[in-house]
Amino acid sequence: MPRTPQFHRETALNNALYLFWRQGYHATSMKDIEEAMDMRPGSIYAAFGNKEALFKETLDAYFSMVEQNFRETIAKQPSVLQGFRQYLKDIASTSESCAPTKACMLVKTLLEFTPEDKAFSDPVYAYFDSIETMFKSALEDARSRGELSKQSSPGQLARLIQTNVIGLRTMARRSLPQAQLEVLVDDVIARIIPMN
């Protein structure tokens, strides 16, 4: 009879994700990881590999979380552009949630490593490219539905939205009062998301 695993892999990975998200890669020790995952070093290495491999897996899990959140937000709204508006508004409300930090984990990682640290920076660049492509695809859908003019550029708008998402998450980290953050989000929406 096979032995039951001593840990739940998804829970352990999620605990590591929140640890790295809060502290960053360099400030997180193996002792921190052991405590957060409630695992011994040998078990961590057997299940996830070394610290670098574990960190990369948490980045992948974080990206999947971002992707799922965006797709679910768009799907719940009556139009694609209303979905984008809600997605941006959620950034303000997320700032009061249980997230370990208001800043995006991808942005924090990008700032922690130099471009020469390709093992870390290249995957983050690829995630940002994927997010931009996801935004562009949704905006192309909006254009095909008549929500955007035929002359609009989904690619340019996708990049502009991504830039503002990064900026909003950075501003949220400044611990602005909730009301000010919501006004800022409304201003961003009014400037970059076309009204029907």
Side-chain angles (χ1 to χ4, degrees), residues 84 128-129 131-133 135-136 139 153-166 192:
F84 270 101
F128 277 125
D129 287 345
I131 291 169
E132 188 174 318
T133 298
F135 287 176
K136 180 182 175 185
L139 291 164
S153 170
Q156 288 179 341
L157 186 54
R159 183 162 289 173
L160 182 60
I161 290 172
Q162 184 178 53
T163 300
N164 279 273
V165 166
I166 292 168
I192 67 172

Side-chain angles (χ1 to χ4, degrees), residues 6-20:
Q6 295 277 330
F7 75 106
H8 188 275
R9 192 177 200 286
E10 187 176 336
T11 300
L13 182 63
N14 194 54
N15 289 344
L17 186 161
Y18 278 77
L19 175 66
F20 281 128

Side-chain angles (χ1 to χ4, degrees), residues 48-172:
F48 298 98
N50 61 17
K51 179 182 172 183
E52 180 179 328
L54 174 62
F55 182 70
K56 287 178 180 176
E57 193 167 343
T58 64
L59 282 177
D60 191 48
Y62 179 84
F63 169 74
S64 296
M65 189 169 62
V66 168
E67 183 179 39
Q68 179 181 354
N69 175 259
F70 174 75
R71 294 191 190 284
E72 287 177 356
T73 301
I74 295 292
K76 288 177 183 174
Q77 298 300 316
S79 74
V80 175
L81 293 186
Q82 285 174 317
F84 270 101
R85 290 184 194 111
Q86 187 59 51
Y87 182 72
L88 292 169
K89 286 185 177 212
D90 287 347
I91 292 172
S93 59
T94 301
S95 72
E96 292 193 325
S97 75
C98 60
T101 173
K102 298 168 186 176
C104 169
M105 185 177 178
L106 298 177
V107 173
K108 284 185 70 176
T109 302
L110 194 63
L111 296 175
E112 185 174 2
F113 295 95
T114 67
E116 290 71 36
D117 293 315
K118 292 190 175 297
F120 296 96
S121 59
D122 283 357
V124 174
Y125 294 146
Y127 291 131
F128 277 125
D129 287 345
S130 295
I131 291 169
E132 188 174 318
T133 298
M134 179 174 67
F135 287 176
K136 180 182 175 185
S137 177
L139 291 164
E140 286 170 343
D141 185 34
R143 188 172 63 180
S144 71
R145 295 181 186 191
E147 296 179 51
L148 289 173
S149 73
K150 296 292 183 188
Q151 291 72 39
S152 65
S153 170
Q156 288 179 341
L157 186 54
R159 183 162 289 173
L160 182 60
I161 290 172
Q162 184 178 53
T163 300
N164 279 273
V165 166
I166 292 168
L168 287 169
R169 291 197 187 281
T170 303
M171 291 299 285

